[in-house]
Amino acid sequence: MSYPDGPVLVIGVGNPHRGDDAVGLMVARRVKQRAPAGVTVLEHTGDGAALMDAWQGAGQVFLIDAVSSGGKPGAVIRVDCRELQGRRDPGLVSSHGFGVAQAIRLAAVLGRLPPRMALYGVEAAGFAPGAPPSPEAAGAVAHVVDLVLREIACTSTA
């Protein structure tokens, strides 16, 4: 399955040992079980430079990560990554130093942003080392999986 501009890629970002930071990985694992043929699903630590390498050549990228934007824990946001271009502070903070938002902005400046890219963020309650995901973030996983799979089905071609 691909877009006219290239293949579909889903990247779950996170750390399984830091509370809600595991949510992107949880979503990626479930998407991988249900994704149509031809959709590539990756689990990623969130290193910005490595993310830019990972999405090279993709026509559509879906990034999933825990965020801390001041919203209610477990809330889901969707951001068209092209909207982050030129914004000094996108209002999204992850637990990754040079992470998702910074990689998107740098890729835009360098002309390395995929033709289509969406970020699904799950508002985190906490990132404590060794903690399990919060009930709020874990409860959002199935919803994000459904949103990503629906978007893939609605906008791609066989």
Side-chain angles (χ1 to χ4, degrees):
M1 183 167 278
S2 67
Y3 285 84
D5 301 314
V8 178
L9 176 62
V10 177
I11 303 175
V13 177
N15 180 330
H17 307 293
R18 293 202 52 196
D20 290 347
D21 200 27
V23 74
L25 305 176
M26 294 166 67
V27 170
R29 290 173 188 155
R30 290 192 189 178
V31 168
K32 189 171 190 172
Q33 293 172 346
R34 295 175 47 197
V39 173
T40 301
V41 180
L42 302 175
E43 295 182 30
H44 204 282
T45 63
D47 172 72
L51 275 172
M52 290 190 306
D53 287 339
W55 68 51
Q56 281 304 112
Q60 170 70 60
V61 176
F62 296 95
L63 297 170
I64 302 96
D65 196 9
V67 298
S68 181
S69 64
K72 182 179 175 185
V76 176
I77 60 164
R78 183 198 181 279
V79 177
D80 180 331
C81 293
R82 295 202 173 271
E83 293 175 7
L84 295 180
Q85 294 182 62
R87 287 182 64 183
R88 191 165 186 210
D89 178 7
L92 303 175
V93 178
S94 76
S95 65
H96 318 286
F98 175 71
V100 175
Q102 294 83 5
I104 292 166
R105 289 195 310 264
L106 180 58
V109 169
L110 297 175
R112 294 181 59 194
L113 204 58
R116 296 182 180 113
M117 180 181 271
L119 168 66
Y120 281 92
V122 177
E123 189 69 35
F127 298 103
S134 69
E136 297 88 354
V141 169
H143 179 59
V144 176
V145 169
D146 289 343
L147 291 171
V148 170
L149 291 172
R150 187 176 312 132
E151 189 168 348
I152 289 170
C154 289
T155 57
S156 61
T157 59

